Amino acid sequence: MVVPAIYNYLDRVQNGLLTGLTGAQKKQDGEHYRWEGGETILLDTTGKILIRSFTAPYGINLYSLKISNQAVNDSCRISYKAATVLFILLLIMKKNSQPG
């Protein structure tokens, strides 16, 4: 996997996908550090950005990825406008979770 060194943080890979944080500031909170601000993105293991400004509700399943030409109106899935002209659909595992 080759990902450019432009990210402040990268999460673990799930189904060939991972989230990254770019443009954030490292802030000290007592003896711990945290990231503030920046943009969270969804990318694949080739470094291709799939979704910019990615916000995922609790219970989202990255193994449920589907690509579509249009958004869906489904209470179990969330549609994201992809960085290309397509839509990426992800399943929400917890029914109570609402997109942020």
Side-chain angles (χ1 to χ4, degrees), residues 5-93:
I6 60 171
Y7 300 102
N8 302 109
Y9 173 80
L10 293 171
D11 207 349
R12 71 181 188 276
V13 176
Q14 297 179 55
N15 193 32
L17 306 172
L18 64 153
T19 56
L21 180 64
T22 184
Q25 298 294 316
K26 192 174 189 178
K27 301 288 183 177
Q28 188 168 3
D29 186 14
E31 61 185 49
H32 302 284
Y33 289 90
R34 59 184 162 81
W35 295 107
E36 263 187 17
E39 179 183 32
T40 301
I41 54 141
L42 182 71
L43 62 152
D44 66 16
T45 54
T46 67
K48 179 180 176 186
I49 295 174
L50 303 176
I51 302 172
R52 294 192 168 279
S53 300
F54 181 66
T55 55
Y58 179 77
I60 199 160
N61 182 347
L62 295 181
Y63 291 96
S64 68
L65 176 107
K66 290 187 183 210
I67 297 176
S68 174
N69 290 326
Q70 59 189 5
V72 295
N73 186 10
D74 182 345
S75 64
C76 293
R77 289 197 178 273
I78 185 167
S79 298
Y80 292 95
K81 180 71 173 114
T84 62
V85 295
L86 302 174
F87 286 87
I88 293 179
L89 314 175
L90 294 168
L91 185 66
I92 301 171
M93 299 303 290

